[in-house]
Structures are given as C-alpha cells and as structure tokens.
Amino acid sequence: MDQELLDGIRQIVREEISGVKDDVSSLKGDVSSLKSDVSSLKTDVSTLKTDVSTLKKDVAEMKPQLEENTNIVRALLANSEEHGAKLNQLEHRVSNLEGSQKRQGELEAYLKNHHHQIIIETGEPVFDE
C-alpha cells in the first residue's frame, strides 16, 4: 500500500511539474521576446539620439541667420515707418499747394472780370474857403 501511495504521489507531482514546465517554457519565450523588444528599443533610442544631435546642430547653425533676418526685418519696418511719415508730409504739402492753386485761380478769375469805371467830371473848380 505504501508503494501505491508513493506511486500516486509521484504521478500527481509529475502532472504538476509538467504544467510548471509548460509555464516555464512559455515564460522563456516571453523573456526572449522581451529581450528582442528591448534590443529594438535600444536601437530606436540610439537613432533618436543621433537625430536630436543633428537637430541641435541644425538649430545652432540657424540661430545666427535668424538673428540677422530679424535685424533686417526690424530695419525694414523702421524704414517703412519713416517712408510712411514722409508720404504723409508730402500729401499735406500737395494739399496745401492744391489749395493755394485753387485760391490763385479764383483770384485770377476775379481780377479778369473786375472792371473799374473812371468818371471824369468837368465843370467849375470849387475852392474851399
């Protein structure tokens, strides 16, 4: 009877171990898959580091050009404002000239149509006493 009991226990242990072996085998596959994924991630991170380094270099090269372009735009804006002020002054002067020309034309028309009538009276001289 003891032998039968031992054989029964062995059988149960074998069945349990068989299930554990399958689980361990499955875990080994999962670990292998994870190692592959981690390796792939390392490659991706390395590529990203290279890309970021390249971007930093590109940005460093662009900064002076951007600063120069900004200064040019500021200068152009200042010139534009100055030219706008000069145009306003010129418009004011032209308006004044147009007004003067209009007044001059009106005066010329008035003087052309202006008539004087000179009357000469003859008669006895009058002396004040």
Side-chain angles (χ1 to χ4, degrees), residues 27 30 37 44 53 57 93 101 107 117:
L27 283 173
D30 290 347
D37 290 347
D44 291 347
S53 176
K57 181 182 174 191
R93 289 178 180 173
Q101 186 178 15
L107 184 57
Q117 182 176 9

Side-chain angles (χ1 to χ4, degrees), residues 6-7 20 28 41 51 55-56 71 74 82 87 92 94 105 107 113 116 128:
L6 283 175
D7 288 341
V20 170
K28 283 182 180 179
L41 284 173
D51 291 347
L55 284 173
K56 283 182 178 180
N71 289 335
R74 285 181 181 147
E82 181 182 341
L87 281 174
H92 180 70
V94 167
L107 184 57
N113 296 326
H116 289 280
D128 289 333

